[in-house]
Amino acid sequence: MIRHIDIAAAEIFEFKEKNPQRYKELIEVGIRIGFGESPAEWGKVDSTPAQIRAKYLPKDADYAALTNAVIEGEVKEAEKLTAALLEKGRDPTGIVVDALMPGIQTVCEIYDNGDAFVPEILLANDALVAGVALCQVRLGDMPSAGRVASLVVEGDVHDIGKNIVAAILRANGFEVIDLGRDVLIADAVNLAKKEKLDLVTGTSLMSTTKEGLRTLAEELKALGVPVACGGAAVDDHFVETFSNSIYGKSPLDAVKIAQAVVAGKDWAEVRKEMKIGKGQEKEKVKN
Ligand code: B12
């Protein structure tokens, strides 16, 4: 909007008269931005690496040792500890969700606060993948619970979460075709035309790539394949702005969505069920 400077100045003085408190706040915000601060960072609680580790560390000592191996990016150690847990008869899905995943969450949050670097994330991811692979071997060949394709949308290389989602779906008996990261919508559509898919899971970690989920869901609608959408860049409000889509927060939500779709429910029904489930959890917390 272009205004003449006199008009703009008059409006500013008028605003100051009418709303002095808000005027003061806005001036302070302007000064902070002027000094190079980013509003996106305001209100963020900066935890120390030790606090973040404590937040995610499992209470179970065996699980905690594995979580620490992931955090340290010790691939061999993570493999050894996972194998030992499986040998003891611990549940492979439990090992992924409650021991391996907390490790990667920890490193990612420490990185986010500026206290870790990219190689540390990548090593932690290698340790996670090594553990997940052993858990998958233990699960062996199960009768297929359904067919799912998993991908990260075009322009986005953040695939750690997608890998976890694919692993948990496999652990629950689903056949997963992993399309990888930075995936073109056309590639997903071509796959859905060739293969019988029950569901596609789409991940987006960036606000610049999340619109890819909308296009993906819209394109797959004609083929009758719904899209479960997740990743830190999206929430239920966003996902509900388009059809043929169901929002899920955790990898276990992806499993619930896949099971419901395979049971013959359509995307709108599953979306409703997922929302009710979330509401009930909140009620439980209140009680
Ligand atoms: C690791 C990381 C990277 C790694 C990625 C390595 C890899 N192979 O994935 C590297 C270093 C390569 C990277 C690069 C970049 N990154 Co980065 N990165 C992160 C970081 C720290 C962690 C992401 C992560 O893996 N989280 C852990 C996983 C497990 O979480 P998740 O993916 O959300 O998945 C979980 C759930 O969401 C769910 N889920 C996931 N998918 C699905 C799907 C379904 C269907 C369901 C139900 C559930 C579900 O399950 C998972 C397990 O709980 C985040 C900050 C953060 N703390 O989130 C920034 C972040 C995502 N990156 C960011 C940016 C900007 C970038 C870069 C552009 C930086 C740059 N200037 O180069 C590039 C992007 C390159 C590109 N084109 O994609 C921004 C995005 C901002 C935004 N909102 O748009 C973030 C938020 C950092 C920030 N605070 O600014 N990054």
Side-chain angles (χ1 to χ4, degrees):
M1 186 171 33
I2 300 170
R3 282 200 183 90
H4 190 279
I5 185 75
D6 295 344
I7 300 173
E11 281 178 359
I12 291 169
F13 284 120
E14 195 187 328
F15 182 79
K16 187 181 173 190
E17 286 286 308
K18 280 192 188 151
N19 201 341
Q21 182 55 35
R22 182 77 187 127
Y23 177 81
K24 195 167 161 261
E25 281 167 13
L26 289 173
I27 293 292
E28 276 166 14
V29 166
I31 291 170
R32 289 176 71 180
I33 292 173
F35 275 103
E37 286 187 27
S38 158
E41 298 299 314
W42 298 348
K44 262 195 180 176
V45 186
D46 238 2
S47 307
T48 64
Q51 284 167 329
I52 297 168
R53 287 179 85 126
K55 183 167 80 176
Y56 289 110
L57 199 68
K59 291 203 174 63
D60 181 304
D62 289 341
Y63 277 6
L66 179 52
T67 303
N68 280 328
V70 173
I71 296 170
E72 300 305 333
E74 291 164 351
V75 180
K76 289 276 163 240
E77 184 67 5
E79 259 179 349
K80 199 181 94 191
L81 293 172
T82 306
L85 283 168
L86 289 168
E87 204 50 47
K88 274 191 182 176
R90 305 292 292 264
D91 168 41
T93 308
I95 298 175
V96 175
V97 175
D98 298 324
L100 293 163
M101 268 170 57
I104 197 78
Q105 292 289 1
T106 304
V107 181
C108 287
E109 213 167 300
I110 293 174
Y111 171 88
D112 220 16
N113 276 347
D115 293 318
F117 299 95
V118 173
E120 287 163 84
I121 293 200
L122 299 181
L123 279 172
N125 188 41
D126 288 349
L128 167 91
V129 169
V132 166
L134 286 181
C135 293
Q136 277 172 0
V137 169
R138 173 55 57 98
L139 287 159
D141 284 339
M142 295 194 279
S144 172
R147 297 193 93 200
V148 180
S150 293
L151 61 90
V152 180
V153 289
E154 187 179 351
D156 203 327
V157 303
H158 296 91
D159 64 355
I160 298 173
K162 182 267 297 164
N163 294 341
I164 296 173
V165 168
I168 300 291
L169 279 166
R170 287 193 180 116
N172 283 274
F174 287 90
E175 222 179 304
V176 179
I177 302 171
D178 190 341
L179 282 169
R181 58 193 192 178
D182 188 10
V183 174
L184 299 175
I185 307 281
D187 289 347
V189 172
N190 285 339
L191 181 80
K193 280 182 182 160
K194 275 197 284 180
E195 306 272 346
K196 192 206 161 301
L197 295 177
D198 296 298
L199 180 75
V200 170
T201 73
T203 296
S204 163
L205 268 280
M206 297 198 295
S207 36
T208 47
T209 59
K210 67 181 187 182
E211 283 297 327
L213 291 172
R214 182 193 304 279
T215 321
L216 179 68
E218 280 165 0
E219 295 269 333
L220 289 177
K221 195 173 181 179
L223 301 171
V225 183
V227 180
C229 304
V234 299
D235 58 17
D236 50 352
H237 297 294
F238 170 69
V239 173
E240 285 169 21
T241 61
F242 48 96
S243 66
N244 196 36
S245 58
I246 307 130
Y247 171 69
K249 194 170 169 57
S250 71
L252 290 172
D253 283 347
V255 174
K256 283 185 208 153
I257 295 168
Q259 284 167 341
V261 167
V262 170
K265 293 175 182 166
D266 78 356
W267 65 266
E269 205 181 336
V270 182
R271 181 190 275 181
K272 218 156 110 194
E273 275 187 10
M274 293 300 292
K275 271 183 101 78
I276 294 169
K278 228 171 74 179
Q280 279 166 348
E281 259 165 41
K282 274 193 195 141
E283 281 305 308
K284 263 192 238 157
V285 174
K286 261 198 267 166
N287 291 336

